[in-house]
Amino acid sequence: MIQGNSSSRDGFSTKFGVIAAAAGSAIGLGNIWRFPYVLGQNGGGAFLLIYLVFIAAIGIPVMMSEFTIGRSAQLNPVGAFKKIAPGKKWHLIGSLGVVTAFIILAFYTVVAGWTLEYMLQSVRWLLFPESSGVAGLTGDASREFFQEHYESFTNGIWRPVIWFLVMLFFTGFIVVSGVKRGIEKYAKILMPVLLILLLVLVFRSVTLEGAKEGLVFLFKPDFSQIKDAPVKVILEALGQAFFSLSIGMGTLITYGSYIQKKENLANTAVSVAAADTFIAVIAGLAIFPAVFAFGINPGEGPELVYITLPVIFQNMAGGLIWALMFFLLLCFAAITSTISVLEVIVAYLTEQLKLTRKRAVFLSAVSVAVLGLICTVSSDVFAVFNASPDILLPFGGFFIVVFIGWFFSKNSLKKELSSNGARKIGYYPVFLFLVRFVAPLAIVFLFAIGVYNKIINVFPSMG
Ligand code: TRP
């Protein structure tokens, strides 16, 4: 898949390779685990609507900006800003991205570990229902079983730790041995399979008795649902859009640096965003009808999908096989994301600090192991780590669009977007308007009301 391009750096060799790798980074637990539970906690359809607006108006412009920065500089995020804006402070945005990468990798890999646990438990439950101590294969019993299991599992130490370390090991192994290029090959086959499995789940879920309420919850915007905390809902939709698209942190600057000069960046960004959003909505469509049909609380929290999915499998012919396949593929989808996060740190350590690739991976994996272990032990730390991308990513994204909109040479920008004049860029004025005004002002405004809200909460008299 990989060939040297103009420089001696590795690069993606085909258009589909680029999209597969970037989509592999974007599609992961963010779509299937985080999106449904955050939507469930934030009022359903109204959240979805706001989310979609953010993807289009902010997400896609940020993604194109990251690709542009990466491809024009051919470097990691820190190196890229240093090269394009020498002597300026912009590289700090790259450094912030590296720090954010550690935080995301820590909690994300922990959740990826849950996938393995639930794969095992689903198998156990489906093979030996009596071993769980709950009688009968009813929705209620299994819901209880998995809910209780979640508590005892995450309150325990060893199992979450072991699963976490397994996932971290795989991630490090893939990044160090460079087989992530081989991953591209598998992603092309396995991602479509994951989509098919999701569609099967959707079919089962929407045909359950009482499913309709879930569809209404997901698709019918009901703004009265968010009137208590509209600011929180809007900020979490923004954060989730950034998280799901893998933007705001330099992952796609790094991947952009591997894209060939002749590729169409706008087209790539739109395809990746469309695929990512589609999978998230499909995941919602698989989860919410079942959530309502089985009487699970949509605002349950991070365990939402992990306690809902097994119950769906249980109500399917051949549930065991479906469960196994699904959780395995989810693991795979998580790994194509974790390697893209680790890649940011490793590209930084190898290119800026001149470490060997092996050392870089070892060092970062050990640091992530420490942070992740803290996440498995303390649910408070987990919650803080899990929430911090909501702020850190839009913060980074703000500077990325401002950089492209106001500081990056417009000649270079046109050159990158048009592949050196080979392509028409009729969307250019719209893009410029979005990166100059819409995206940065929206982020600043939302942050400002977020801060205002916090102040009012602390000093109610000021409201
Ligand atoms: N987007 C991935 C997901 O949805 C997670 C991810 C990978 C990510 N790389 C990232 C999130 C960079 C933020 C930034 O699962």
Side-chain angles (χ1 to χ4, degrees):
M1 282 315 300
I2 227 78
Q3 295 169 350
N5 50 16
S6 48
S7 68
S8 62
R9 283 169 69 81
D10 279 343
F12 300 120
S13 58
T14 64
K15 176 174 171 52
F16 195 72
V18 179
I19 297 182
S25 166
I27 297 167
L29 296 170
N31 309 58
I32 292 164
W33 158 69
R34 206 173 188 267
F35 174 78
Y37 101 71
V38 175
L39 179 136
Q41 284 181 331
N42 288 294
F47 177 93
L48 177 61
L49 192 67
I50 300 167
Y51 176 81
L52 294 177
V53 170
F54 286 156
I55 293 279
I58 304 179
I60 292 174
V62 174
M63 193 185 283
M64 285 170 64
S65 302
E66 287 202 28
F67 282 155
T68 303
I69 294 169
R71 192 171 69 176
S72 77
Q74 297 284 306
L75 280 168
N76 66 85
V78 176
F81 280 113
K82 282 194 170 155
K83 180 169 170 187
I84 301 174
K88 302 269 167 40
K89 294 276 178 249
W90 288 100
H91 63 89
L92 292 177
I93 292 306
S95 309
L96 176 73
V98 174
V99 174
T100 310
F102 278 104
I103 296 175
I104 292 184
L105 210 45
F107 77 82
Y108 195 94
T109 313
V110 170
V111 179
W114 297 356
T115 308
L116 293 173
E117 170 73 17
Y118 270 79
M119 179 165 72
L120 220 78
Q121 291 304 329
S122 308
V123 170
R124 174 178 147 211
W125 165 254
L126 288 154
L127 280 181
F128 314 107
E130 37 333 310
S131 78
S132 64
V134 194
L137 282 170
T138 64
D140 274 353
S142 49
R143 189 197 65 219
E144 258 166 53
F145 170 69
F146 285 106
Q147 223 151 11
E148 274 166 28
H149 185 75
Y150 176 82
E151 307 246 313
S152 66
F153 164 64
T154 49
N155 285 335
I157 304 269
W158 287 111
R159 298 174 74 92
V161 166
I162 289 168
W163 292 132
F164 159 70
L165 292 176
V166 168
M167 293 303 288
L168 184 61
F169 174 82
F170 274 121
T171 304
F173 178 80
I174 291 167
V175 172
V176 86
S177 58
V179 287
K180 66 172 183 301
R181 289 136 197 185
I183 293 276
E184 226 180 89
K185 197 166 67 199
Y186 293 109
K188 274 190 258 182
I189 306 163
L190 294 181
M191 290 298 174
V193 178
L194 178 65
L195 175 62
I196 293 171
L197 286 186
L198 269 174
L199 291 173
V200 172
L201 277 179
V202 169
F203 179 76
R204 174 66 276 211
S205 192
V206 298
T207 51
L208 288 165
E209 202 175 318
K212 190 162 164 263
E213 217 183 316
L215 294 175
V216 171
F217 179 78
L218 178 60
F219 288 124
K220 193 164 172 228
D222 173 2
F223 286 92
S224 70
Q225 290 274 340
I226 67 169
K227 68 175 187 316
D228 291 338
V231 176
K232 165 183 167 282
V233 173
I234 293 170
L235 283 175
E236 288 193 14
L238 182 69
Q240 177 59 25
F242 273 75
F243 187 85
S244 194
L245 294 177
S246 298
I247 55 177
M249 194 194 88
T251 298
L252 297 185
I253 293 181
T254 310
Y255 273 28
S257 73
Y258 305 135
I259 300 179
Q260 291 205 352
K261 290 288 184 193
K262 67 175 196 298
E263 299 298 351
N264 185 343
L265 295 182
N267 196 308
T268 306
V270 172
S271 312
V272 171
D276 184 70
T277 306
F278 183 68
I279 298 272
V281 172
I282 294 289
L285 206 48
I287 299 293
F288 286 102
V291 161
F292 282 86
F294 296 126
I296 296 169
N297 170 13
E300 178 78 37
E303 65 270 37
L304 182 71
V305 279
Y306 285 99
I307 65 176
T308 308
L309 285 169
V311 192
I312 308 179
F313 291 127
Q314 208 151 88
N315 282 272
M316 290 168 69
L320 182 63
I321 306 289
W322 294 114
L324 260 181
M325 287 202 304
F326 185 85
F327 283 121
L328 268 180
L329 286 170
L330 185 55
C331 247
F332 182 81
I335 286 187
T336 58
S337 300
T338 51
I339 58 178
S340 76
V341 185
L342 183 56
E343 186 66 25
V344 172
I345 306 175
V346 170
Y348 166 74
L349 291 176
T350 52
E351 291 177 354
Q352 301 306 121
L353 304 184
K354 306 291 177 222
L355 261 62
T356 64
R357 201 166 175 86
K358 253 201 187 117
R359 281 222 179 119
V361 171
F362 182 74
L363 216 79
S364 27
V366 169
S367 326
V368 171
V370 173
L371 292 176
L373 289 180
I374 302 174
C375 281
T376 56
V377 178
S378 158
S379 56
D380 292 336
V381 174
F382 177 84
V384 171
F385 275 32
N386 184 12
S388 59
D390 288 342
I391 295 172
L392 294 174
L393 298 176
F395 184 85
F398 168 82
F399 287 100
I400 288 167
V401 280
V402 166
F403 181 73
I404 284 290
W406 297 98
F407 295 92
F408 194 76
S409 131
K410 292 299 157 297
N411 268 338
S412 311
L413 177 59
K414 283 187 190 150
K415 241 166 88 178
E416 283 300 334
L417 294 178
S418 69
S419 299
N420 216 352
R423 206 183 296 286
K424 286 211 174 65
I425 46 172
Y427 59 80
Y428 183 74
V430 180
F431 173 71
L432 206 58
F433 183 67
L434 290 174
V435 291
R436 282 196 157 168
F437 301 106
V438 178
L441 289 177
I443 296 171
V444 166
F445 175 71
L446 294 174
F447 272 22
I449 54 173
V451 170
Y452 175 75
N453 237 36
K454 278 262 177 307
I455 295 174
I456 297 202
N457 283 340
V458 178
F459 307 104
S461 58
M462 287 177 64

